[in-house]
Amino acid sequence: MKSRFESKEYEFLEIESRETEDGTILSIFLNNPSSRNSMTWKMGEEFSDIIHSIRKQKKLPRAVIISGRSDVFCAGGDLNLLRSFSEKSFSQNRRDMRKFYGFFLSVRKLPVPVIAAVNGHAIGAGLSLTFGCDLRIFASDGKYSFNFVRLGIHPGMGSSFLALELLGKSLGGRLLLTGETFNGEMAKEWGLALDAVPKTSVYERAMELALSIAKAAPLALQELKQNLYSWKQLDSALKKEAESQARNFISDDFKETIQSIIEKRDPKFKGK
């Protein structure tokens, strides 16, 4: 019999549960293959709905795994979504961006350990989602980047806080300021990923980790989750990001970003 999560139909997500002697391991897969699992507004609503449903359960899963279908984790924000932001006002974008961040970063509020099984490329907001999880397994040859500034926008989805939290101001700042690409082996070397393995083994490795976590005392883990993070600090960063991105979305530089994507060329920014 399917769990209540698996029984519900989602457009951009898939749910799987595995029953063990210690309890349930729940897996959430991003599933938007036509655009490399890019984030849409609808996907965000579905993701938030699942996280909210998990939190309401009397018997929580022992661990949650976040991964992607089709050999990619997440290509970041969907192009049509980004284009829509360029057509809205500053106040609309500030409100909508804050809400959009909240959809996906709701994972941070789960009272159980969350593992990101990053089975392929993770770019921009997609990479930020992995930083919002507790533990990460990366594909060795996956490509990862906070490419926000190369798109003419301030980093979002909590990355301006999460990158510094996990990597420090020097390395975290470097990745945010340059938008450079790194691979899974580099992520492991930096301590960002617990392990870097071939993409076909990422989910299996994450499940091994989840099964190990499942043997720990659940109440102790829930208390630990509450004490590990400061949501207030992240929330403050999200408000600043939403305001900065809202300004960037109505700039000429961001309009140039959209046009360059359509024309498949590098953008030419003029600082307007």
Side-chain angles (χ1 to χ4, degrees):
M1 178 181 294
K2 290 185 176 181
S3 71
R4 66 182 300 272
F5 300 105
E6 290 175 291
S7 298
K8 187 172 181 179
E9 293 294 326
Y10 293 100
E11 183 177 355
F12 294 116
L13 300 171
E14 286 187 11
I15 313 297
E16 290 182 3
S17 61
R18 175 172 173 176
E19 299 301 325
T20 75
E21 292 181 358
D22 301 298
T24 302
I25 308 296
L26 193 69
S27 298
I28 304 171
F29 296 91
L30 308 183
N31 186 32
N32 188 12
S34 64
S35 61
R36 301 173 66 79
N37 294 340
S38 62
M39 294 167 157
T40 67
W41 193 271
K42 178 64 174 178
M43 179 192 282
E45 290 178 328
E46 292 179 353
F47 192 89
S48 179
D49 176 70
I50 291 171
I51 299 301
H52 182 66
S53 297
I54 295 172
R55 293 179 66 193
K56 290 195 303 183
Q57 295 302 294
K58 290 183 178 179
K59 188 174 182 179
L60 294 168
R62 290 302 185 94
V64 172
I65 297 173
I66 310 292
S67 193
R69 294 296 194 199
S70 306
D71 296 327
V72 64
F73 184 79
C74 180
D78 178 76
L79 176 59
N80 289 328
L81 180 66
L82 294 176
R83 182 185 290 150
S84 73
F85 292 144
S86 70
E87 299 167 352
K88 296 179 182 179
S89 68
F90 168 79
S91 59
Q92 286 177 311
N93 280 327
R94 180 173 57 182
R95 179 195 64 221
D96 290 349
M97 290 314 302
R98 183 65 186 85
K99 188 171 184 179
F100 189 65
Y101 302 155
F103 287 153
F104 291 97
L105 292 179
S106 60
V107 70
R108 185 88 163 189
K109 294 184 177 180
L110 273 179
V112 300
V114 182
I115 304 166
V118 195
N119 58 307
H121 304 336
I123 307 298
L127 181 59
S128 303
L129 174 59
T130 76
F131 277 45
C133 298
D134 302 305
L135 303 169
R136 286 153 293 279
I137 305 296
F138 275 44
S140 303
D141 62 350
K143 294 181 179 180
Y144 309 106
S145 172
F146 287 120
N147 67 334
F148 297 100
V149 294
R150 297 193 179 191
L151 298 178
I153 54 176
H154 186 283
M157 195 62 75
S159 55
S160 65
F161 173 83
L162 296 169
L164 304 188
E165 178 186 64
L166 290 171
L167 296 169
K169 287 188 177 181
S170 180
L171 180 54
R174 173 183 133 193
L175 297 181
L176 292 170
L177 289 167
T178 65
E180 69 183 76
T181 300
F182 60 94
N183 61 32
E185 292 294 341
M186 295 166 73
K188 181 180 178 181
E189 180 182 343
W190 294 335
L192 174 61
L194 284 181
D195 206 352
V197 298
K199 64 173 58 177
T200 55
S201 301
V202 168
Y203 181 73
E204 179 184 356
R205 179 70 184 88
M207 181 59 74
E208 291 175 358
L209 184 58
L211 292 172
S212 176
I213 289 172
K215 295 185 179 299
L219 292 180
L221 287 177
Q222 291 169 34
E223 291 287 341
L224 178 58
K225 276 291 302 257
Q226 291 181 9
N227 295 330
L228 278 177
Y229 307 113
S230 170
W231 179 259
K232 289 183 179 180
Q233 289 181 342
L234 175 57
D235 192 54
S236 177
L238 293 176
K239 290 177 181 178
K240 293 177 182 177
E241 286 184 352
E243 184 166 319
S244 294
Q245 285 198 332
R247 276 194 292 269
N248 297 150
F249 282 136
I250 59 176
S251 69
D252 288 345
D253 276 349
F254 187 67
K255 291 181 174 64
E256 164 63 10
T257 291
I258 297 299
Q259 194 61 33
S260 69
I261 293 173
I262 294 171
E263 297 175 2
K264 298 182 179 179
R265 59 172 174 80
D266 292 335
K268 297 179 180 179
F269 298 128
K270 297 181 179 179
K272 295 183 179 180

